[in-house]
Amino acid sequence: MKLIFGSILIVVAGFSVNKYVFSSKAYDGVATITDLVANYPVDLFEFKQTMHGYAHHLCYKNEERLTRQNVTTSDCISNHDDKQSECENKVFRLAPLSLETKAEILDYSKQYTECTLPYKSIMG
């Protein structure tokens, strides 16, 4: 009985650490986006790295919406990681080396997120 209770406790603790530690780590990516776009021009290479973290954040933040669509958080992250290279080539193919305006940043951000995370209503 103690073994079963101990096993359940370990599984719950592992799930909690995974959900809250990695979710808060992904949240750091959102803070990085606001810091990055506060100063213009924005370097395209930095922007791509930041968008990678932001996409992971969206998967964690919208876990409930994804569940309603029968998608797990890990499926969302795996899908993003699988499509990252393809979508970077598609979205940023003709992008300038530095993004000069807020409108450009928002446009590229939306295109990249929609490409790598094609789930209905993931962004709100």
Side-chain angles (χ1 to χ4, degrees):
M1 186 67 175
K2 288 182 182 180
L3 181 62
I4 293 172
F5 181 71
S7 298
I8 291 172
L9 185 63
I10 289 172
V11 168
V12 169
F15 176 76
S16 297
V17 166
N18 181 36
K19 181 175 181 179
Y20 296 108
V21 170
F22 293 121
S23 179
S24 65
K25 182 179 178 183
Y27 182 76
D28 292 341
V30 175
T32 304
I33 285 178
T34 55
D35 292 344
L36 182 68
V37 300
N39 301 311
Y40 297 103
V42 174
D43 178 66
L44 187 62
F45 180 73
E46 284 183 60
F47 184 70
K48 287 179 187 179
Q49 289 179 322
T50 302
M51 287 308 302
H52 175 77
Y54 181 63
H56 281 211
H57 164 73
L58 286 175
C59 289
Y60 285 111
K61 177 183 169 199
N62 295 297
E63 182 177 19
E64 187 177 309
R65 286 185 183 165
L66 292 170
T67 302
R68 283 183 276 183
Q69 297 176 50
N70 297 320
V71 178
T72 66
T73 302
S74 60
D75 290 341
C76 180
I77 290 171
S78 294
N79 185 63
H80 169 267
D81 292 346
D82 292 344
K83 290 187 165 195
Q84 179 182 1
S85 181
E86 173 191 333
C87 290
E88 280 185 4
N89 291 336
K90 179 180 174 183
V91 173
F92 299 115
R93 178 174 48 103
L94 299 175
L97 293 177
S98 61
L99 304 176
E100 302 288 334
T101 66
K102 182 178 180 178
E104 278 184 314
I105 292 168
L106 293 175
D107 183 47
Y108 283 111
S109 173
K110 181 179 177 185
Q111 288 180 51
Y112 178 79
T113 305
E114 287 176 352
C115 182
T116 59
L117 301 173
Y119 305 113
K120 184 176 181 182
S121 301
I122 192 169
M123 293 180 286

